[in-house]
Amino acid sequence: TAAGATLNIARLSVEGGEVDFARRVVTLAKVSLDAPRAVVRRLSDGAINWARVVRQPAKQPANDLQPRAADHSPWTMAVREIEIARGDVQFEDLAIDPVVSLRASAIAGTVRNIVGDGSERAEFALRTRFGSGGTLAVNGGARWDMPSASVRVDARNLDVAALRPYLAARIDGDLASAEVSVRGTLTASQPKAGAAWRATYNGSARLSNFHALDGASNDLLRWQALDIDKVAVKLGDGPPVVDLGKIALNDFFARVIVSDQGRLNLLDLVRRDAAPAQANVASATSPAGAGATAQPRTTIRIASIELARGNVNFTDNFVKPNFTANITGLGGSVTTLASDSAEPATMTLTGKIDDEAPLQIGGRLNPLAPTVFLDIEGSTKGVDLPRLTSYSVKYAGYPIIKGKLSMDVKYKIEEQKLTASNRVFLDQLTFGERVESPTATKLPVLLAVSLLKNRRGEIDINLPISGTLNDPQFSIGGLIVQVIVNVLARIVTAPFSLLAAAFGGGEELGYIEFGSGAATLTAAQTKRLEALAKALSDRPGLRLDIIGRVDPATDTAGILSAKYDAKLRAVKVRQLVRAGGESVDAAKVAIADNERPALIAAVYSEEKIPDKPRNFIGMAKSLPPAEMEALIRANLAVTPEDLRALANQRASAVRNVLESEGKISRERLFLVEPKLTADGIKDQGAKTRVDFSLK
C-alpha cells in the first residue's frame, strides 16, 4: 500500500465454524496462520501505517425526509483458537533519526477465545525471537469489557541497545550494548471507565553485557551482569512502590571524571532541558510554588546490594596537572535500604588503590530516607603520595616526589549536619622545587611539613570538619581544603604551641624569660629548654633562630646592679691574688655580708666620682657604707652597648644549653640580630627574654 502496510501469509486455513443469525455471531473453531509476515511503520508524521489502511466510511449528510433504516445489533465474530507458526513482524520508526528497526521472528503459539465484544477472557501463549539472540515468551489472559490482563513474561537477552536513538536526545553518550532479561507476572486493570489503571509486576530482572560510552566515546560504565532476584512494582493505587530483593552487580567498571570546571561527569550523563529546570526553580521559590501540591513520593525498598570485582577509575581534571586513581577489586555489601524507614543500612566495601594500597569502607547509611543519614568509616594504607602531586602543586605550590599516605576517616550526617574527622598519616613526605600556582597558599608549607614531620619522617595529624547540608555553599571538598589551610595558618601563628602539644606539654616554648639585667638561666627555664630540645630533636628538619632581647625600662636597673656587684667581686679577686691565691672567675666569686663594707670602701676609693666629699686637706672623706654605695651607683651608667651585650649574652646562654645539654647541632641554631626594645611583644610573658623563630 501507499502507507507501506504489508501483510503476507503463506497459508491460512479455517477449521470448523458456525453462523448464528439470531445472535448475529460468526464463530470459527480454529484459524491456522503459517508464516504470517507484517511490516509496521511509524511514519515521519507520527502516524502508524496500518491506521491509514482502514478507511473510515464517509459520513452521509443528515436528511430527515429519508426513511430511517431499521436498527440492527452489529455482527460479532468469535475465534476459539488461532494457531500461529513462523510469524515475522518488522517494525520501523521513520519519525526518529536514525531510523529504528526492530524485528520479531519465529513467532509461534496459540490465542484462544477472541470474542469481538470482549465479553470473554482471551487466553494466549506466544513465543518469539528478537534480533539475533533475544527471546520472549508470554502467556496469560486479557479481556476488554472489564479491562484487565495478567501476563507471565519470560524475556531473555533482549537487545536494549537497539533503542539507542530514543535515548540519544536525553543521554550525553552512547549505549554500546545492553541486554535485559525479565521473568515474572505483569497485571493491569482499570476498575471502571475513566479511572486510573492499576499495574503490578512481580518477578526478577537482569541487565547484562552493559556498556555505555561518554560523549567522547570513552568507556563510562560497563558490567557483566546486574541481577535483581526480586522485583515487585505497584502503580496506580496510591504512590508508586518499588520493592527490590537482592541486587548483585558483578565485574563492573565506572569512569568517574571531575571536569576542569569542577563538575562530576555522571551528573551530566542525563541531559536536562533548560526550560523545565527554570520552571522548577521558579515554582520552588515563588509563593505559588510553595503552596503547590507535591507529587506522591515513590517508595523504594532494596533488600540488599552485593558488589564483586569492581573497578572505578577516577580522574580529576580540575587540578593541573590532572590526577588519576584506579580503585580495583571493589566488592562488598549493603543491607536493607528503604525510603519509608529511618533504619539505616549497614555497608561494607573493600578494594585496592591501583592494585596495591588496601581500601576499606564500612558503616551505616540510608540515602533513600527523606532525611539523609550517614555514619561511615573508611581507611586506606600505603598510597603512593606522588599520585597526589597534582593536588599538592595546585594547593601547596610544590610537587610530591616521595612518600606514602594512610588515612582513617569518619563521616557522619544527621539532621542535615556533617561532622567528620580525617586522620592522615604521611610517611617520608618529600616535596620538590616550588612551582608557581595562582591557587597555591602563600603560607610556608615547607615549614609546616618540618614542624609536623618527626625524626622518623612521619606526619600524623587529624583534620576535623563540620558543615550544614542546607548551606548552598556546602562542599565537602571545599571544607577539607579550608581545614588544611586553617591548620597551616595555626602552625604559622603558633608553631611552638603545636610543638608543645605534640609532646604532651602545655609549656610555652616560644621564648625563655630572664630576670632583670640577668643572662643566667634558672632551673625552670633550663627545664623548658630541655623540652624544646626534645621537640627539635624529633623534628630534624627544623632550624631555630635565637633572638636575644632586652627591655630598657626593666633591664637598666638590673644592669646597674650587675655592674655594681661586678666591681665588688673584682676588688675581692684582686685581694685574693695579692694574698697568694689563684686567679678565679669574678662572676663565680661570692661575697659575704661582713665583707661588703670593706669592699665598698675599696671600690669607692678607686672610683672617679665627681664632687666626692673631701676633708680640709683634700683627701676623700670617710663615709658610711650606705652613702658610699649610693655615690658609686650614681656614677654608673647603662649604654646601648650594655643593652646589646646583655641581649647577646642571653641568646648565647640559651644556645649553649641547647647545644651542650640538648644535643642540638650548632648548624641548626642561629643567633640573629638582637632586639633592644620591648616593641612587638603581644603575649603576657616577661619582656626580658630570648625569642625563638622556626625555619
Side-chain angles (χ1 to χ4, degrees):
T1 67
T6 60
L7 175 63
N8 296 312
I9 302 176
R11 185 174 65 87
L12 184 152
S13 62
V14 178
E15 300 179 17
E18 61 181 21
V19 178
D20 187 335
F21 290 95
R23 295 173 52 212
R24 305 176 70 83
V25 175
V26 177
T27 301
L28 303 180
K30 182 177 181 179
V31 176
S32 298
L33 301 175
D34 184 29
R37 298 170 185 253
V39 176
V40 180
R41 291 188 176 91
R42 180 173 175 248
L43 304 177
S44 57
D45 60 1
I48 301 299
N49 58 350
W50 283 89
R52 297 185 177 179
V53 174
V54 180
R55 298 182 182 274
Q56 298 295 328
K59 194 172 183 179
Q60 299 296 326
N63 187 346
D64 293 336
L65 300 178
Q66 293 181 354
R68 294 181 179 273
D71 290 333
H72 296 288
S73 58
W75 282 82
T76 60
M77 177 175 287
V79 182
R80 293 306 171 190
E81 181 178 351
I82 300 175
E83 185 178 71
I84 303 172
R86 300 188 300 156
D88 190 287
V89 175
Q90 181 79 27
F91 172 76
E92 295 177 353
D93 192 341
L94 307 180
I96 193 167
D97 185 24
V99 173
V100 172
S101 181
L102 303 174
R103 183 184 179 190
S105 60
I107 302 173
T110 58
V111 181
R112 293 184 173 85
N113 298 328
I114 301 296
V115 178
D117 60 5
S119 59
E120 295 186 28
R121 175 182 169 89
E123 302 288 342
F124 52 87
L126 298 168
R127 61 186 181 277
T128 185
R129 183 171 63 243
F130 276 95
S132 58
T135 62
L136 173 65
V138 295
N139 64 82
R143 63 185 303 159
W144 307 112
D145 57 342
M146 295 181 293
S148 63
S150 177
V151 183
R152 292 182 295 278
V153 181
D154 186 358
R156 303 187 184 187
N157 304 323
L158 299 184
D159 184 10
V160 180
L163 304 176
R164 66 172 63 89
Y166 295 115
L167 304 175
R170 300 295 297 170
I171 303 296
D172 187 14
D174 183 32
L175 184 62
S177 67
E179 296 178 354
V180 65
S181 300
V182 295
R183 181 178 294 181
T185 300
L186 174 67
T187 66
S189 64
Q190 187 181 34
K192 60 182 179 180
W197 279 79
R198 298 175 180 174
T200 65
Y201 173 78
N202 290 278
S204 61
R206 162 180 276 205
L207 185 59
S208 57
N209 298 324
F210 184 89
H211 188 187
L213 307 175
D214 63 17
S217 297
N218 298 315
D219 283 352
L220 180 63
L221 293 169
R222 68 171 184 266
W223 60 73
Q224 181 176 347
L226 188 154
D227 287 303
I228 310 175
D229 66 356
K230 171 193 171 185
V231 179
V233 180
K234 184 178 180 182
L235 304 173
D237 188 10
V241 177
V242 179
D243 202 340
L244 306 179
K246 182 176 77 172
I247 300 176
L249 179 59
N250 302 319
D251 301 291
F252 61 93
F253 169 85
R255 184 88 167 89
V256 181
I257 302 174
V258 178
S259 72
D260 55 5
Q261 301 299 316
R263 186 165 178 83
L264 199 64
N265 64 332
L266 297 181
L267 296 178
D268 293 328
L269 181 60
V270 178
R271 293 174 179 166
R272 292 169 173 81
D273 295 330
Q278 294 169 354
N280 290 339
V281 172
S283 64
T285 56
S286 66
T293 303
Q295 294 295 321
R297 189 171 185 270
T298 301
T299 299
I300 301 175
R301 306 184 189 103
I302 302 173
S304 65
I305 300 174
E306 299 285 343
L307 305 176
R309 300 179 298 281
N311 177 196
V312 176
N313 188 278
F314 174 77
T315 296
D316 192 343
N317 292 324
F318 185 64
V319 295
K320 305 295 182 185
N322 301 337
F323 167 74
T324 298
N326 196 31
I327 301 174
T328 57
L330 188 61
S333 63
V334 181
T335 60
T336 304
L337 292 168
S339 63
D340 59 350
S341 171
E343 183 66 23
T346 299
M347 176 182 68
T348 302
L349 294 176
T350 60
K352 290 184 177 181
I353 298 178
D354 295 313
D355 284 325
E356 295 177 357
L359 173 68
Q360 292 184 331
I361 302 174
R364 301 181 304 147
L365 76 165
N366 192 351
L368 301 180
T371 302
V372 175
F373 174 84
L374 180 143
D375 187 0
I376 62 172
E377 299 181 7
S379 67
T380 184
K381 299 186 183 302
V383 178
D384 287 316
L385 280 171
R387 301 183 185 280
L388 305 176
T389 196
S390 302
Y391 293 108
S392 69
V393 168
K394 181 177 180 67
Y395 296 111
Y398 294 90
I400 301 176
I401 62 176
K402 179 184 177 182
K404 287 187 178 293
L405 162 72
S406 298
M407 286 187 66
D408 291 289
V409 301
K410 296 181 180 180
Y411 280 73
K412 185 173 184 178
I413 297 176
E414 190 170 18
E415 296 181 354
Q416 299 297 303
K417 294 182 179 180
L418 166 72
T419 55
S421 65
N422 300 266
R423 183 175 178 270
V424 181
F425 183 83
L426 306 172
D427 190 14
Q428 309 305 316
L429 170 62
T430 307
F431 284 124
E433 296 295 326
R434 180 167 178 81
V435 177
E436 290 302 321
S437 170
T439 56
T441 180
K442 304 304 180 184
L443 297 171
V445 175
L446 297 184
L447 171 61
V449 171
S450 296
L451 269 166
L452 296 171
K453 186 188 293 186
N454 63 26
R455 66 183 303 105
R456 296 180 299 278
E458 302 166 340
I459 297 175
D460 192 351
I461 57 176
N462 186 40
L463 304 175
I465 65 174
S466 61
T468 302
L469 273 62
N470 294 328
D471 184 350
Q473 303 300 320
F474 176 81
S475 164
I476 289 180
L479 282 173
I480 293 176
V481 171
Q482 186 59 48
V483 166
I484 293 174
V485 170
N486 290 343
V487 169
L488 292 176
R490 274 203 312 273
I491 289 173
V492 172
T493 56
F496 292 97
S497 297
L498 183 143
L499 277 182
F503 292 90
E507 292 183 309
E508 174 56 58
L509 301 181
Y511 57 86
I512 293 292
E513 298 174 330
F514 286 85
S516 173
T520 56
L521 292 160
T522 65
Q525 300 304 331
T526 301
K527 183 178 179 182
R528 185 179 293 186
L529 282 176
E530 291 173 354
L532 177 59
K534 182 180 179 182
L536 291 173
S537 178
D538 199 61
R539 300 291 191 270
L542 290 176
R543 295 172 298 169
L544 186 71
D545 284 354
I546 303 171
I547 309 111
R549 71 186 306 159
V550 292
D551 177 14
T554 304
D555 278 321
T556 296
I559 293 174
L560 289 173
S561 294
K563 281 188 173 185
Y564 173 75
D565 289 341
K567 289 180 178 294
L568 297 181
R569 288 194 297 271
V571 170
K572 182 174 181 178
V573 169
R574 289 197 298 271
Q575 292 175 350
L576 291 174
V577 172
R578 291 185 192 127
E582 295 182 359
S583 178
V584 295
D585 185 357
K588 297 180 180 179
V589 172
I591 298 175
D593 289 343
N594 60 352
E595 297 177 309
R596 297 188 74 84
L599 293 174
I600 291 172
V603 171
Y604 180 75
S605 66
E606 295 175 356
E607 288 292 300
K608 297 179 179 180
I609 301 174
D611 301 327
K612 182 184 290 188
R614 296 182 182 276
N615 58 20
F616 70 96
I617 61 173
M619 299 292 290
K621 192 177 183 179
S622 179
L623 298 173
E627 292 183 20
M628 289 188 289
E629 179 177 341
L631 288 172
I632 294 170
R633 288 182 179 273
N635 195 48
L636 297 176
V638 175
T639 66
E641 287 307 313
D642 291 330
L643 293 170
R644 179 179 294 274
L646 177 61
N648 285 330
Q649 289 168 11
R650 287 170 172 171
S652 295
V654 167
R655 182 187 63 181
N656 293 339
V657 170
L658 290 173
E659 183 182 6
S660 60
E661 303 297 331
K663 307 303 179 184
I664 305 300
S665 67
R666 182 167 287 222
E667 289 77 9
R668 297 175 60 195
L669 304 173
F670 295 84
L671 298 184
V672 300
E673 181 69 13
K675 295 183 180 298
L676 306 182
T677 69
D679 296 344
I681 296 178
K682 298 180 180 179
D683 55 58
Q684 301 301 314
K687 296 176 174 59
T688 54
R689 63 204 279 179
V690 167
D691 284 331
F692 299 128
S693 177
L694 293 168
K695 302 293 183 183

Short mmCIF file of all heavy atoms in Angstrom, two decimals, residues 165-195:
data_model
loop_
_atom_site.label_atom_id
_atom_site.label_comp_id
_atom_site.label_asym_id
_atom_site.label_seq_id
_atom_site.Cartn_x
_atom_site.Cartn_y
_atom_site.Cartn_z
N PRO A 165 18.54 5.23 19.59
CA PRO A 165 18.10 6.53 19.05
C PRO A 165 17.08 7.23 19.95
O PRO A 165 17.02 8.46 19.98
CB PRO A 165 17.50 6.16 17.69
CG PRO A 165 18.22 4.92 17.30
CD PRO A 165 18.39 4.16 18.58
N TYR A 166 16.25 6.45 20.67
CA TYR A 166 15.29 7.07 21.57
C TYR A 166 15.98 7.72 22.77
O TYR A 166 15.46 8.66 23.37
CB TYR A 166 14.29 6.03 22.08
CG TYR A 166 13.41 5.45 20.99
CD1 TYR A 166 13.49 4.10 20.65
CD2 TYR A 166 12.49 6.25 20.30
CE1 TYR A 166 12.70 3.56 19.65
CE2 TYR A 166 11.69 5.72 19.31
CZ TYR A 166 11.79 4.37 18.98
OH TYR A 166 11.01 3.85 17.99
N LEU A 167 17.16 7.20 23.14
CA LEU A 167 17.88 7.72 24.30
C LEU A 167 18.80 8.88 23.94
O LEU A 167 19.23 9.62 24.82
CB LEU A 167 18.72 6.59 24.93
CG LEU A 167 17.96 5.33 25.35
CD1 LEU A 167 18.94 4.27 25.84
CD2 LEU A 167 16.93 5.65 26.42
N ALA A 168 19.13 9.01 22.67
CA ALA A 168 20.15 9.97 22.26
C ALA A 168 19.80 11.39 22.67
O ALA A 168 20.69 12.18 23.02
CB ALA A 168 20.35 9.90 20.74
N ALA A 169 18.52 11.75 22.65
CA ALA A 169 18.14 13.12 22.98
C ALA A 169 18.25 13.40 24.47
O ALA A 169 18.29 14.56 24.89
CB ALA A 169 16.72 13.39 22.51
N ARG A 170 18.29 12.33 25.29
CA ARG A 170 18.30 12.52 26.73
C ARG A 170 19.62 12.13 27.38
O ARG A 170 19.88 12.52 28.51
CB ARG A 170 17.18 11.67 27.36
CG ARG A 170 15.79 12.01 26.89
CD ARG A 170 15.37 13.39 27.29
NE ARG A 170 15.32 13.57 28.73
CZ ARG A 170 15.17 14.74 29.33
NH1 ARG A 170 15.09 15.84 28.60
NH2 ARG A 170 15.12 14.83 30.64
N ILE A 171 20.45 11.36 26.68
CA ILE A 171 21.69 10.86 27.26
C ILE A 171 22.88 11.48 26.53
O ILE A 171 22.93 11.49 25.30
CB ILE A 171 21.76 9.32 27.16
CG1 ILE A 171 20.55 8.68 27.85
CG2 ILE A 171 23.06 8.81 27.76
CD1 ILE A 171 20.50 8.94 29.33
N ASP A 172 23.81 12.00 27.30
CA ASP A 172 25.02 12.57 26.72
C ASP A 172 26.07 11.45 26.63
O ASP A 172 26.97 11.34 27.45
CB ASP A 172 25.55 13.72 27.58
CG ASP A 172 26.71 14.44 26.91
OD1 ASP A 172 26.91 14.22 25.71
OD2 ASP A 172 27.40 15.20 27.60
N GLY A 173 25.91 10.63 25.63
CA GLY A 173 26.80 9.49 25.47
C GLY A 173 26.17 8.49 24.52
O GLY A 173 25.27 8.83 23.73
N ASP A 174 26.63 7.27 24.60
CA ASP A 174 26.13 6.25 23.68
C ASP A 174 26.03 4.92 24.42
O ASP A 174 26.95 4.54 25.17
CB ASP A 174 27.07 6.11 22.48
CG ASP A 174 26.54 5.10 21.46
OD1 ASP A 174 25.30 4.99 21.34
OD2 ASP A 174 27.35 4.43 20.81
N LEU A 175 24.91 4.25 24.22
CA LEU A 175 24.72 2.92 24.78
C LEU A 175 25.23 1.91 23.77
O LEU A 175 24.56 1.59 22.79
CB LEU A 175 23.24 2.68 25.09
CG LEU A 175 22.89 1.37 25.78
CD1 LEU A 175 23.56 1.27 27.14
CD2 LEU A 175 21.37 1.23 25.94
N ALA A 176 26.44 1.41 24.02
CA ALA A 176 27.06 0.50 23.06
C ALA A 176 26.40 -0.87 23.08
O ALA A 176 26.19 -1.48 22.02
CB ALA A 176 28.56 0.37 23.35
N SER A 177 26.06 -1.36 24.25
CA SER A 177 25.40 -2.66 24.34
C SER A 177 24.68 -2.76 25.67
O SER A 177 25.10 -2.18 26.67
CB SER A 177 26.41 -3.81 24.21
OG SER A 177 27.29 -3.84 25.31
N ALA A 178 23.59 -3.53 25.67
CA ALA A 178 22.84 -3.81 26.90
C ALA A 178 21.79 -4.85 26.56
O ALA A 178 21.13 -4.77 25.52
CB ALA A 178 22.19 -2.56 27.46
N GLU A 179 21.66 -5.82 27.43
CA GLU A 179 20.65 -6.86 27.25
C GLU A 179 19.86 -6.99 28.53
O GLU A 179 20.43 -7.03 29.62
CB GLU A 179 21.32 -8.20 26.90
CG GLU A 179 22.05 -8.18 25.57
CD GLU A 179 22.75 -9.49 25.28
OE1 GLU A 179 22.75 -10.37 26.17
OE2 GLU A 179 23.29 -9.64 24.16
N VAL A 180 18.54 -7.05 28.39
CA VAL A 180 17.68 -7.16 29.56
C VAL A 180 16.97 -8.51 29.54
O VAL A 180 16.56 -9.01 28.48
CB VAL A 180 16.66 -6.00 29.60
CG1 VAL A 180 15.69 -6.07 28.42
CG2 VAL A 180 15.90 -5.99 30.92
N SER A 181 16.85 -9.09 30.71
CA SER A 181 16.11 -10.34 30.88
C SER A 181 15.18 -10.16 32.07
O SER A 181 15.60 -9.64 33.11
CB SER A 181 17.05 -11.52 31.14
OG SER A 181 17.96 -11.69 30.07
N VAL A 182 13.93 -10.57 31.89
CA VAL A 182 12.96 -10.49 32.99
C VAL A 182 12.15 -11.78 33.00
O VAL A 182 11.90 -12.40 31.97
CB VAL A 182 12.02 -9.28 32.86
CG1 VAL A 182 12.79 -7.98 32.99
CG2 VAL A 182 11.25 -9.30 31.55
N ARG A 183 11.75 -12.16 34.19
CA ARG A 183 10.87 -13.33 34.34
C ARG A 183 9.92 -13.02 35.48
O ARG A 183 10.34 -12.84 36.62
CB ARG A 183 11.67 -14.58 34.64
CG ARG A 183 10.80 -15.83 34.78
CD ARG A 183 11.65 -17.05 35.04
NE ARG A 183 12.49 -17.36 33.89
CZ ARG A 183 13.33 -18.41 33.85
NH1 ARG A 183 13.45 -19.20 34.90
NH2 ARG A 183 14.05 -18.64 32.77
N GLY A 184 8.62 -12.95 35.15
CA GLY A 184 7.65 -12.62 36.18
C GLY A 184 6.27 -12.47 35.62
O GLY A 184 5.99 -12.83 34.46
N THR A 185 5.39 -11.89 36.43
CA THR A 185 3.99 -11.73 36.06
C THR A 185 3.63 -10.26 36.09
O THR A 185 3.86 -9.56 37.09
CB THR A 185 3.08 -12.51 37.01
OG1 THR A 185 3.42 -13.90 36.96
CG2 THR A 185 1.62 -12.33 36.62
N LEU A 186 3.00 -9.81 34.99
CA LEU A 186 2.54 -8.44 34.86
C LEU A 186 1.02 -8.43 34.86
O LEU A 186 0.39 -9.18 34.10
CB LEU A 186 3.07 -7.82 33.57
CG LEU A 186 2.58 -6.42 33.21
CD1 LEU A 186 3.10 -5.40 34.20
CD2 LEU A 186 3.02 -6.06 31.79
N THR A 187 0.44 -7.62 35.73
CA THR A 187 -1.02 -7.49 35.76
C THR A 187 -1.39 -6.03 35.56
O THR A 187 -0.66 -5.12 35.97
CB THR A 187 -1.61 -7.98 37.10
OG1 THR A 187 -1.17 -7.12 38.15
CG2 THR A 187 -1.18 -9.41 37.38
N ALA A 188 -2.56 -5.81 34.93
CA ALA A 188 -3.05 -4.45 34.72
C ALA A 188 -4.57 -4.49 34.72
O ALA A 188 -5.18 -5.46 34.23
CB ALA A 188 -2.53 -3.88 33.41
N SER A 189 -5.18 -3.46 35.25
CA SER A 189 -6.64 -3.42 35.26
C SER A 189 -7.11 -1.98 35.40
O SER A 189 -6.39 -1.12 35.90
CB SER A 189 -7.20 -4.25 36.43
OG SER A 189 -6.79 -3.69 37.67
N GLN A 190 -8.34 -1.76 34.92
CA GLN A 190 -8.99 -0.46 35.05
C GLN A 190 -10.32 -0.71 35.75
O GLN A 190 -11.25 -1.29 35.18
CB GLN A 190 -9.22 0.18 33.68
CG GLN A 190 -9.75 1.61 33.77
CD GLN A 190 -9.98 2.21 32.39
OE1 GLN A 190 -10.36 1.49 31.46
NE2 GLN A 190 -9.77 3.51 32.24
N PRO A 191 -10.41 -0.30 37.04
CA PRO A 191 -11.61 -0.64 37.82
C PRO A 191 -12.91 -0.19 37.18
O PRO A 191 -13.91 -0.90 37.23
CB PRO A 191 -11.37 0.08 39.16
CG PRO A 191 -9.89 0.29 39.22
CD PRO A 191 -9.44 0.47 37.81
N LYS A 192 -12.89 0.99 36.57
CA LYS A 192 -14.09 1.48 35.89
C LYS A 192 -13.67 2.45 34.80
O LYS A 192 -12.54 2.95 34.79
CB LYS A 192 -15.04 2.14 36.88
CG LYS A 192 -14.44 3.33 37.61
CD LYS A 192 -15.44 3.91 38.61
CE LYS A 192 -14.83 5.10 39.36
NZ LYS A 192 -15.80 5.67 40.33
N ALA A 193 -14.57 2.70 33.90
CA ALA A 193 -14.26 3.57 32.76
C ALA A 193 -13.79 4.94 33.25
O ALA A 193 -14.41 5.54 34.13
CB ALA A 193 -15.49 3.71 31.87
N GLY A 194 -12.71 5.39 32.69
CA GLY A 194 -12.17 6.69 33.04
C GLY A 194 -11.28 6.70 34.26
O GLY A 194 -10.62 7.70 34.55
N ALA A 195 -11.25 5.60 35.01
CA ALA A 195 -10.42 5.53 36.21
C ALA A 195 -8.97 5.26 35.83
O ALA A 195 -8.66 4.81 34.72
CB ALA A 195 -10.93 4.44 37.15
#
